[in-house]
Amino acid sequence: MTEETAVIVGAGKGLSAALARRLAKDGFRVVLVARDVEKLAALVAETGGHAISADAQSPPAVEAMFAEVDRTFGTPDLVVFNAATRYRGPIEVLDPVDVMDTYAVGAYAGFVTAQAAARRMLQRGTGSIFFTGATASVKSMPHSVPFAMAKFALRALAQGLARELGPRGIHVAHFIIDGGIASSWATQGEAGPPDKWLDPAAIAETYLAVHRQHRSAWTSEMELRPWVETF
């Protein structure tokens, strides 16, 4: 069992919930961050987690959130950025305001979160900062340009920070979730084997394993996909 602290930004159902459960099982003190924390009540009760309401696009709000974590638990050992919004449509009808919001939630908020986390972790010389990507991190599809713009940018952020912070003791990794997650996409009675969707609990196991890696063999990027997905 550990006494580490994990902060999950953009917490909700699916991967965030599975990650919170797995980390709590391993003894982590889990902090769940979302704009609407009421939706996290059941997860907080289940995991013994600590919910904080914050808009990850706002540097003052993120700083206030981390300050609360500092006071309650100290510097976090693991920060996972899992926020995103999906805005779709053909290019001729996309609303520029909604496109900018998609980018702000999925990419700029990642920078804001990582900067606040890095400032704290660098003082201690250890810690992990993880970013959740998607198929759209490496392949932009029709009608999904806003989402892909954010995910491409988030991947660039992760790559740059891995090179910058790795030599200073901070493990930065980006996870390409290449496929649908069961809790988000699977429907009752659908055809096909159940493991055609990514199991969020299995993804959570992988995140924890990467956090536990020895510094001599760190992963900076990992692709996770069910066997049905093509490369």
Side-chain angles (χ1 to χ4, degrees):
M1 299 291 285
T2 184
E3 291 189 356
E4 295 178 281
T5 299
V7 177
I8 303 173
V9 177
K13 66 177 184 178
L15 175 56
S16 293
L19 187 57
R21 294 185 187 103
R22 183 62 185 89
L23 293 173
K25 181 180 178 181
D26 211 54
F28 277 79
R29 296 165 296 205
V30 179
V31 179
L32 302 166
V33 182
R35 283 185 283 194
D36 176 14
V37 295
E38 290 185 5
K39 67 181 181 181
L40 302 175
L43 184 61
V44 167
E46 179 185 354
T47 61
H50 182 82
I52 302 177
S53 176
D55 182 352
Q57 302 174 56
S58 166
V62 170
E63 181 59 33
M65 177 272 289
F66 273 106
E68 182 174 340
V69 175
D70 293 340
R71 291 191 300 272
T72 308
F73 304 114
T75 298
D77 302 277
L78 169 63
V79 172
V80 179
F81 181 77
N82 201 33
T85 183
R86 290 180 181 271
Y87 175 55
R88 294 175 52 83
I91 185 66
E92 65 269 21
V93 303
L94 290 173
D95 184 333
V97 174
D98 290 332
V99 172
M100 181 59 76
D101 182 65
T102 299
Y103 182 84
V105 171
Y108 175 69
F111 162 78
V112 174
T113 298
Q115 184 180 58
R119 285 172 172 165
R120 289 161 168 80
M121 292 178 179
L122 284 170
Q123 294 183 35
R124 187 184 56 202
T126 62
S128 298
I129 302 174
F130 291 172
F131 300 93
T132 299
T135 305
S137 301
V138 295
K139 182 168 58 178
S140 184
M141 303 301 289
H143 296 182
S144 192
V145 167
F147 184 60
M149 287 168 60
K151 286 300 184 184
F152 265 65
L154 192 70
R155 188 184 186 208
L157 172 66
Q159 288 187 359
L161 291 183
R163 293 179 171 92
E164 179 179 345
L165 298 179
R168 303 169 74 184
I170 312 304
H171 187 182
V172 178
H174 176 252
F175 298 82
I176 300 171
I177 310 302
D178 187 16
I181 297 177
S183 56
S184 303
W185 295 93
T187 58
Q188 283 290 91
E190 69 177 354
D195 61 354
K196 73 178 184 178
W197 302 108
L198 285 140
D199 182 347
I203 301 173
E205 289 285 354
T206 301
Y207 276 49
L208 179 57
V210 173
H211 174 63
R212 295 283 185 232
Q213 287 176 331
H214 189 271
R215 185 179 174 183
S216 68
W218 272 352
T219 294
S220 61
E221 183 165 84
M222 178 177 286
E223 294 180 312
L224 301 173
R225 65 173 61 85
W227 60 273
V228 298
E229 292 287 342
T230 56
F231 286 77

